[in-house]
Amino acid sequence: MSLALAVGDLLQDAGEEVVYTRIDDVYDSPLQKAQMANEADADWFISFHRNSSENPNQYEGVETLVFNKSGDKAVLAEKINENLAELGFRNIGVKERPNLTVLRRTKMPAVLIEAGFINSDKDNERFDSQFDEMARTIADAILEVAGQQGGRYHVQVGAYRNKKYAEAMAQKLMEDGFPAAIIPEGGYQKVVSGSFENLNNAVRMEQRLRKAGYPTFIIKKL
């Protein structure tokens, strides 16, 4: 739950609306969770778990589960795994689980993140020592993939022909506590912070970035 709350805070800081199925230690069935998401008319359903195995230290790594490997959910699942692998986790891959209620009964793209094995010493060490980095990299994956969908506003802070310069700017944004993504377009690598359906949310993010000294303007990707 702590990881879900940390990722949710980062998404809210980026201007996204976040609805939690629970924020304390109260059990809701998988069907109830799916129904909550459907009733909220959410754009995405993200479920957070820790994996386990029969014997301690039998397995290690991260995997993300989806109903099937098609559409935006599969793209997001791959991106989450790739980002977590950059922190040192073994990438087990994206797995289809059509029998899971939270993946089968949700009306929006849904992923279930297995954020390492809870009975793996290596995974637990990474989870504890890199908790903030894990939250950031998952939030960045969500914002990046959501930003690839049509009709969303982005706050652009730079456009570069050299990808290394774009990556350096994205890194600086993240070090300053802002979300960052790179959108290739027209021969340029555009560095953006945030992805918003609502223009007012993009304006608020732009104000925060300008206060931090970044040159900005708002773009809309169709």
Side-chain angles (χ1 to χ4, degrees):
M1 185 191 306
S2 59
L3 184 59
L5 295 174
V7 172
D9 285 343
L10 292 169
L11 294 175
Q12 288 176 323
D13 288 345
E16 299 292 341
E17 181 180 358
V18 177
V19 177
Y20 298 98
T21 58
R22 67 185 180 110
I23 56 174
D24 48 30
D25 194 18
V26 176
Y27 176 77
D28 292 310
S29 71
L31 179 59
Q32 288 174 311
K33 294 178 187 295
Q35 290 173 336
M36 288 180 198
N38 292 339
E39 289 169 3
D41 196 24
D43 295 315
W44 294 88
F45 181 88
I46 316 292
S47 185
F48 292 82
H49 290 257
R50 297 290 308 279
N51 222 331
S52 188
S53 57
E54 185 177 354
N55 300 311
N57 298 310
Q58 183 178 8
Y59 304 113
E60 64 177 279
V62 295
E63 63 181 350
T64 303
L65 311 181
V66 293
F67 180 79
N68 58 44
K69 294 182 183 180
S70 67
D72 293 331
K73 60 185 178 295
V75 175
L76 176 59
E78 292 282 2
K79 186 62 180 176
I80 289 171
N81 285 358
E82 290 172 5
N83 284 6
L84 291 174
E86 290 181 0
L87 299 179
F89 286 94
R90 176 172 172 257
N91 184 352
I92 300 175
V94 176
K95 307 290 179 61
E96 293 184 343
R97 292 291 187 273
N99 59 318
L100 292 182
T101 300
V102 293
L103 303 179
R104 179 168 53 89
R105 298 296 295 272
T106 42
K107 297 178 181 179
M108 68 292 300
V111 300
L112 188 153
I113 305 167
E114 294 282 10
F117 282 77
I118 201 168
N119 59 349
S120 162
D121 292 340
K122 289 183 179 179
D123 280 353
N124 284 334
E125 191 280 328
R126 292 187 185 100
F127 189 93
D128 293 337
S129 65
Q130 300 186 87
F131 179 86
D132 291 342
E133 291 88 345
M134 288 181 67
R136 168 62 65 187
T137 202
I138 293 171
D140 286 347
I142 295 168
L143 292 169
E144 180 176 341
V145 175
Q148 293 172 358
Q149 296 177 320
R152 296 183 71 89
Y153 296 96
H154 308 267
V155 184
Q156 181 174 309
V157 299
Y160 308 89
R161 290 197 180 275
N162 190 319
K163 189 175 181 180
K164 289 184 178 180
Y165 294 147
E167 290 173 344
M169 175 57 79
Q171 181 64 35
K172 184 178 186 300
L173 281 168
M174 290 187 286
E175 289 174 355
D176 288 344
F178 295 102
I182 299 174
I183 301 176
E185 188 174 69
Y188 287 90
Q189 305 292 320
K190 296 185 176 181
V191 182
V192 300
S193 187
S195 171
F196 311 93
E197 291 186 1
N198 187 293
L199 177 59
N200 291 332
N201 290 336
V203 170
R204 283 193 286 270
M205 174 58 80
E206 183 180 40
Q207 290 170 344
R208 289 178 55 205
L209 286 161
R210 287 189 175 180
K211 188 175 181 180
Y214 287 94
T216 66
F217 63 93
I218 295 173
I219 62 173
K220 185 174 184 181
K221 189 173 183 298
L222 300 176

